[in-house]
Amino acid sequence: MKKKFLNLDKQPLANSFLPSSDSKTLSKEFFYNLSISFDTINYLVSVTDPVNPKSQYTDKYAHRASESLTMRKAFSKIANKLEKKYSPKIVMEIGSNDGVFIKNFSKKKVIAVEPCRNLANLTKQKFKTYPDFWSKKLAKKIFKKSRKADIIFSANTISHIPNLKETFEAIEFSLSDNGVMIIEDPSLLSVIKNNSYDQFYDEHVYVFSALAISNAVEKYNLRLFDVEKTDTHGGSMRHYICKKHASYRTTIRLKSVINEEKKMKLNKFTTFKKFSKRVKESRKKLLQIFKKLKLSNKKIISYGATYKSTTVFNYCKINQRYIDYVTDTTLNKQGKFTPGQHIPILSPEKGMNSSVDYAFLGAWNFKKEIFKKEKDFIRRGGKFITHVPKVKILPK
Ligand code: JHZ
């Protein structure tokens, strides 16, 4: 049974960066109520009323996974590891974005699936790309021509698809008998530990625990046999799944993660009620900092026009009263306005100048990479504001 535990108020689509802030554009902006629920039977944490995927994954999709060095390195590392360990003949990726993961394999063996046309167009010149949503119909079309996949990889995508039944049935159909499916997404364990409520937005229909994934796949002749924690996106989990009768043994790593999740009570509704209280406190503290700094005339900007900051800005009502502008390296975000609160987005070259006193870490998950890049800002006394895991100013 689904029980609501968190209300993040009225939100725009996290990806809906606006081309202009004139009244005509703003009058057409779409909003919905974002609330999060916990299912007391299967332990899934999900957006209570998901948005229609057709309005989210369009030919204007903004996120480019290659924008960060951290992600380029992480995807190349896991691709090499999978190649060595499994020597796959066919590798398929669901949600291939700009190809950051799958480009690491020989193009003869890869199949990419990407519903956002602008992204699929980027990769289709380089390797086989299907510009479609993942479905049973598509799986049948792909594997009419190809042998089944030995590796199916999907990072930050399965959590975006409301219909898990269709998703896993299509995966079961596409996997070779001893094939392995790897699902990587931000982990519920990290979200609860870090109070990173901004991992909840329209696209993150689910934030998975290993407990929930294990329950979810069992119904479709699949089995979770291993899990690997990663640092990416503020703490993610790679779930390794195979067919029920494949040869892989359940690992000690999986048993220990399941134990940790039970210890953290990720199977109890009360955990999420407590989390919801901490989220409200986080909003209060963040606004206190912004108000205090503004009273002393400090210039604050935001670093990284992330989808996560769409949630923070709209939940906390942070607009140009507090933040002059947002900087982002992604070309197709620059010159646009943030969803809902309409803060202008500039390139870092223009925006990270000597007039900036404070930068809110919209991309807190890349803190290490950003601190390294912004040594000069820090050296001249510039500070960052973060809300994860606690609201604070950095460096101290
Ligand atoms: P980043 C997206 O979320 C959307 P977002 C999606 N739904 C998802 O699941 C996650 O990714 C994985 C910029 N940047 O990766 C680049 C700088 O400007 O945290 C990006 O626009 N300077 C698919 O948007 C943004 O910040 C830098 O130095 O929350 C980071 O976005 C760096 C490192 C990044 O994901």
Side-chain angles (χ1 to χ4, degrees), residues 160 201 203-204 233 307-308 328-330 333 365 373:
H160 295 51
Y201 49 85
E203 290 186 14
H204 283 176
H233 293 292
Y307 291 25
K308 294 184 286 296
D328 198 287
T329 51
T330 317
K333 289 183 185 172
N365 44 315
K373 212 189 259 182

Side-chain angles (χ1 to χ4, degrees), residues 287-298 322:
L287 283 170
Q288 274 168 357
I289 288 198
F290 276 116
K291 282 178 187 157
K292 200 169 150 200
L293 293 175
K294 275 300 165 203
L295 276 176
S296 47
N297 281 326
K298 298 294 183 199
Y322 301 117

